[in-house]
Amino acid sequence: MKNAYRIGEVATRTGCSPESIRHYEKLGLLPTPKRSEQGYRYYDQAALERIGFIRHGRSLGLDLHSIQELLALSDHPDTDCGAADDIATRHLQHLEARIAKLQALAAELRQVVQQCRGGKAADCQIIQTLYDHTLACSERGCG
Amino acid sequence: MKNAYRIGEVATRTGCSPESIRHYEKLGLLPTPKRSEQGYRYYDQAALERIGFIRHGRSLGLDLHSIQELLALSDHPDTDCGAADDIATRHLQHLEARIAKLQALAAELRQVVQQCRGGKAADCQIIQTLYDHTLACSERGCG
DNA sequence: CTAAACCCTGTAATCGTTACAGGGTCAAGC
DNA sequence: GCTTGACCCTGTAACGATTACAGGGTTTAG
């Protein structure tokens, strides 16, 4: 049959492992596919595109739950688009917050690393710093 | 006895939950503490500082394995400090790579969000973009 | 006919933390 | 004494997304 792919070929075409594809199916992001008499899954072009949609969402850092919501919107073309905008905007804010936090961590770690002048562990400023900032840190909420 | 704390008090003093403390012990980051006759764990000041060390490392984003290595260095003051520098530097590079990736994602997502002009899902550019970029994306390795 | 490559299901691992269940201990108040 | 609530114990399972099995069946090429 034309345009009917087994899971392995779908995997190579989409860059998504067979395990993940089966996982998405179990979670309800993919419809249950047709099966051969022996039980092999067979996918059509629409399924390929749906998997591509999921992978692109994942590559943007969206979680599977958000992707599922976006797919549901896509499945109901008459619904309002605002929900999609909400999901994307929320995720963008989440990303920006995470970037800010990681940048703060990197800055602190850069300081720590610069203090190391070699020598023995007993004098190591990296280790000392981890001990020193300890309690103050949880009080300041700098974690 | 003086300076002997039960796990709950250690938790409030360090900002680390009792579950995590027991977890660290099971993983070997904390020595097996003294026990009361009834089996309650009792901790001294040194244990408090060790837990603080772990929490500070975690707040910097270090994984428990790296923290364990740093603790091992700290436990052997005569070993060379270079290993600590390696761990911290490696983690810093890891952080910087993650920041760069997240920034790229945020930039792409910002573009996607801006394309949304409201309306029906059928016309939604967010959903369209997720479909469109799909296959090209995995080929370009932009994930 | 056989070996490799594929597919199936179900389970467990990863990481760090949290949340139970089911039970024991200890203080204060009645 | 007896109860209530706040602790503590152990062991197990959950979270999210993916990977890695085990143990078995199927297809395809040599």
Side-chain angles (χ1 to χ4, degrees), chain A residues 121-138:
Chain A
D123 313 314
C124 179
Q125 282 304 311
I126 294 176
I127 291 173
Q128 284 306 314
T129 304
L130 283 171
Y131 275 121
D132 291 349
H133 280 217
T134 279
L135 298 172
C137 216
S138 68

Side-chain angles (χ1 to χ4, degrees), chain A residues 3-143:
Chain A
N3 291 339
Y5 314 102
R6 289 197 303 197
I7 199 169
E9 190 169 359
V10 176
T12 54
R13 279 173 188 258
T14 60
C16 181
S17 75
E19 290 88 353
S20 292
I21 295 173
R22 286 190 282 257
H23 187 53
Y24 299 156
E25 177 186 336
K26 198 182 302 181
L27 261 51
L29 278 80
L30 294 176
T32 58
K34 288 170 197 149
R35 300 273 192 149
S36 73
E37 291 181 358
Q38 290 74 27
Y40 288 13
R41 290 171 176 82
Y42 274 89
Y43 297 91
D44 57 12
Q45 192 61 34
L48 278 182
E49 283 163 19
R50 201 174 175 88
I51 292 169
F53 185 105
I54 297 171
R55 295 311 284 181
H56 192 200
R58 287 290 298 137
S59 80
L60 285 172
L62 290 162
D63 58 22
L64 290 179
H65 181 72
S66 299
I67 293 172
Q68 190 161 25
E69 292 179 341
L70 290 171
L71 282 169
L73 291 176
S74 169
D75 292 338
H76 301 279
D78 290 336
T79 49
D80 191 278
C81 175
D85 190 62
D86 280 354
I87 292 170
T89 302
R90 222 183 312 129
H91 181 59
L92 181 56
Q93 288 169 352
H94 180 71
L95 274 184
E96 284 166 346
R98 208 140 63 98
I99 289 169
K101 179 168 178 180
L102 288 181
Q103 279 176 334
L105 295 190
E108 190 175 353
L109 199 59
R110 232 170 264 127
Q111 273 202 331
V112 171
V113 169
Q114 281 182 347
Q115 291 174 340
C116 180
R117 308 239 173 277
K120 300 301 181 186
D123 313 314
C124 179
Q125 282 304 311
I126 294 176
I127 291 173
Q128 284 306 314
T129 304
L130 283 171
Y131 275 121
D132 291 349
H133 280 217
T134 279
L135 298 172
C137 216
S138 68
E139 287 161 9
R140 287 205 319 268
C142 78

Side-chain angles (χ1 to χ4, degrees), chain B residues 6-8 22 26 35 39-41:
Chain B
R6 289 197 302 197
I7 199 168
R22 286 191 281 258
K26 197 183 300 181
R35 301 272 192 148
Y40 289 11
R41 291 172 177 80

Side-chain angles (χ1 to χ4, degrees), chain B residues 21-110:
Chain B
I21 296 173
R22 286 191 281 258
H23 187 54
Y24 299 156
E25 177 187 336
K26 197 183 300 181
L27 262 52
L29 278 79
L30 294 176
T32 57
K34 289 171 198 151
R35 301 272 192 148
S36 73
E37 292 181 358
Q38 290 75 25
Y40 289 11
R41 291 172 177 80
Y42 274 89
Y43 297 92
D44 57 12
Q45 192 62 34
L48 278 183
E49 283 163 19
R50 201 174 176 90
I51 292 170
F53 185 106
I54 297 171
R55 295 310 285 182
H56 191 200
R58 287 291 298 137
S59 80
L60 285 172
L62 290 163
D63 58 21
L64 290 178
H65 181 73
S66 298
I67 293 173
Q68 191 161 25
E69 291 178 342
L70 290 172
L71 282 169
L73 290 176
S74 169
D75 291 337
H76 300 279
D78 290 338
T79 50
D80 191 279
C81 175
D85 189 63
D86 280 354
I87 293 169
T89 302
R90 222 185 312 131
H91 181 59
L92 181 56
Q93 289 168 351
H94 180 71
L95 274 184
E96 284 166 345
R98 209 140 62 98
I99 288 169
K101 179 169 178 179
L102 288 181
Q103 280 175 335
L105 296 190
E108 190 175 352
L109 199 60
R110 233 170 264 128

